[in-house]
Amino acid sequence: MHNLNIKSANKDYQVNFYKEIDDIIKSIKDKKAFYLIDENVYLLYKDYFKYKPRLVVPALETSKTLDYASNIFDHLINRDFKSDVHLVVIGGGILQDLGGFMASTFCRGVKYTLVPTTLLAMCDSCIGGKTSINHHKRKNILGTFYPPDEVKISLEFLNTLDKRNLFSGYGELIKFYCLDNNIFNIDLDNLEECVYYGLNKKSKIIQTDEFDKGVRKLLNFGHTFGHALESASNYAIPHGSAVIIGILVANEISSNLGYCSERYNTNVRDKLLPFITHLKLKKEWFVFDKLLSYIKSDKKNTGKNINMVLHNNGSYNIFPINDLEILETSLSTVYEVIRLCD
């Protein structure tokens, strides 16, 4: 089984792969462990947690709020947990964001372990130390950098993952392969290798730029329009699928600006379209002015320009875009292509 060692300014940590879920549960022997569990995961695997001190959390963006976090803090305090508590966070990206935020702030920081249960969480968000909650309709606007003490992964969880969330996970994997100019060699039939590939790629980047000041920003490839589409659809488009659409828009912009060939743009588009044709998209989610308002409110855009990660003749760079017509035209083209494939 794979494992990965990650160095961090806060604390170094390991990613360990396990064959079965039972192996993970048995490996957690800390008597101070308290479990935060995704509600969907708990309903599927409740026998594993029958005798574990726990709190079951709905896997909804509405759980990632100060109000909801406050309720969990109250629960921990009422149970007399202190700085020696060990939070075991079991779930997908929402639980990881919320659980990491709570671990970083409860008693000024406590031990926590991540057990990702979705493909997206396994291949991407479980490492890097970003924690976050939403506030006043602003996605991930509050948060910290606070890596887990360990990440424990078992692909057995994916046996019960629905197609919508499985394909969402493919989105982040696709991003990593794109950044390596290796998208045409992705082999999703060997999923464990793909997960390790994504984590290994990300680990090299975050160990160079842990706090998102330079090269780590390249991991936002596909996220400019991706995050906006999530918000515009009220999260009906799952994150990874929105990232795939965002990649298509970014490549269309690159092509229109002369940064990549039309042939490259078309070949990548043909490769990625099968991963989003299952989505039921609504035209009103693609209204440019609405998406632009979400993009401008994104914490990554701090000036007048729209900062985007774009493919540039075999490499990836961040470009400040001020030509809104190119953005709108590119979005419209991608929407029409997706619609015709529906």
Side-chain angles (χ1 to χ4, degrees):
M1 304 299 283
H2 291 296
N3 61 69
L4 202 61
N5 296 307
I6 301 176
K7 293 187 179 299
S8 164
N10 186 299
K11 57 191 169 189
D12 297 348
Y13 57 104
Q14 272 198 330
V15 179
N16 293 309
F17 284 72
Y18 295 78
K19 184 176 181 181
E20 297 179 349
I21 299 169
D22 189 53
D23 297 329
I24 291 179
I25 302 303
K26 288 177 179 177
S27 73
I28 302 170
K29 304 180 186 298
D30 195 335
K31 293 182 179 180
K32 293 290 185 177
F34 181 79
Y35 292 72
L36 289 177
I37 310 172
D38 179 317
E39 183 176 44
N40 297 320
V41 175
Y42 180 73
L43 292 174
L44 289 167
Y45 301 102
K46 63 174 63 176
D47 287 348
Y48 286 116
F49 310 110
K50 191 179 296 183
Y51 304 109
K52 307 291 185 185
R54 64 190 180 272
L55 197 60
V56 178
V57 179
L60 303 169
E61 287 289 335
T62 51
S63 298
K64 284 176 49 177
T65 63
L66 283 173
D67 286 342
Y68 201 92
S70 179
N71 291 334
I72 301 177
F73 284 136
D74 288 344
H75 186 86
L76 294 172
I77 291 167
N78 290 337
R79 295 190 62 151
D80 203 32
F81 283 110
K82 296 185 175 66
S83 60
D84 58 349
V85 68
H86 174 190
L87 293 183
V88 180
V89 182
I90 302 178
I94 289 174
L95 262 288
Q96 289 180 359
D97 285 346
L98 175 64
F101 179 80
M102 301 205 60
S104 71
T105 50
F106 187 68
C107 295
R108 296 177 180 164
V110 297
K111 179 179 181 180
Y112 81 111
T113 295
L114 288 180
V115 182
T117 60
T118 65
L119 179 56
L120 191 148
M122 290 178 187
C123 75
D124 181 22
S125 60
C126 66
I127 66 171
K130 284 187 178 180
T131 83
S132 60
I133 56 176
N134 306 327
H135 191 57
H136 291 321
K137 297 184 179 180
R138 301 283 291 276
K139 184 177 173 65
N140 299 339
I141 196 66
L142 304 178
T144 61
F145 284 95
Y146 191 71
D149 291 79
E150 186 182 1
V151 178
K152 296 175 181 286
I153 295 176
S154 171
L155 269 68
E156 187 183 1
F157 280 113
L158 301 183
N159 292 339
T160 52
L161 195 66
D162 58 52
K163 179 179 180 179
R164 181 177 185 272
N165 282 297
L166 185 66
F167 274 58
S168 179
Y170 290 159
E172 288 291 355
L173 283 175
I174 284 167
K175 177 193 74 178
F176 289 121
Y177 279 81
C178 283
L179 290 173
D180 270 352
N181 291 306
N182 200 24
I183 185 57
F184 300 110
N185 293 317
I186 190 170
D187 178 13
L188 292 170
D189 290 331
N190 194 347
L191 205 48
E192 184 174 324
E193 285 299 323
C194 288
V195 170
Y196 181 75
Y197 183 100
L199 290 175
N200 191 44
K201 171 70 175 179
K202 183 173 181 178
S203 70
K204 291 176 181 177
I205 291 175
I206 62 177
Q207 288 178 101
T208 301
D209 175 28
E210 183 172 5
F211 299 111
D212 219 4
K213 302 299 183 184
V215 67
R216 183 170 181 170
K217 294 182 184 217
L218 296 181
L219 296 177
N220 292 320
F221 181 52
H223 286 61
T224 302
F225 277 91
H227 276 164
L229 283 164
E230 281 185 272
S231 298
S233 69
N234 197 25
Y235 304 103
I237 304 177
H239 175 74
S241 298
V243 167
I244 292 177
I245 299 173
I247 289 173
L248 296 180
V249 176
N251 283 346
E252 186 68 24
I253 293 168
S254 289
S255 178
N256 287 332
L257 291 172
Y259 297 156
C260 75
S261 67
E262 179 56 33
R263 180 180 179 184
Y264 173 84
N265 180 32
T266 301
N267 288 343
V268 174
R269 188 167 64 205
D270 290 345
K271 179 75 173 179
L272 301 193
L273 280 172
F275 295 101
I276 54 173
T277 51
H278 66 285
L279 298 171
K280 302 299 181 185
L281 300 176
K282 297 182 180 180
K283 188 173 183 178
E284 57 261 34
W285 298 343
F286 288 79
V287 174
F288 179 71
D289 288 343
K290 185 176 183 180
L291 291 178
L292 185 62
S293 68
Y294 285 118
I295 290 169
K296 286 183 174 179
S297 69
D298 192 298
K299 59 185 180 294
K300 295 185 289 295
N301 290 306
T302 55
K304 293 182 180 180
N305 297 317
I306 306 300
N307 297 315
M308 291 192 68
V309 180
L310 299 177
H311 184 273
N312 181 24
N313 295 315
S315 64
Y316 287 83
N317 304 99
I318 299 172
F319 292 89
I321 308 295
N322 54 26
D323 188 338
L324 299 184
E325 185 177 348
I326 282 183
L327 298 183
E328 185 171 12
T329 301
S330 299
L331 175 70
S332 178
T333 298
V334 168
Y335 174 73
E336 286 302 315
V337 170
I338 297 171
R339 186 182 65 82
L340 292 172
C341 288
D342 200 4

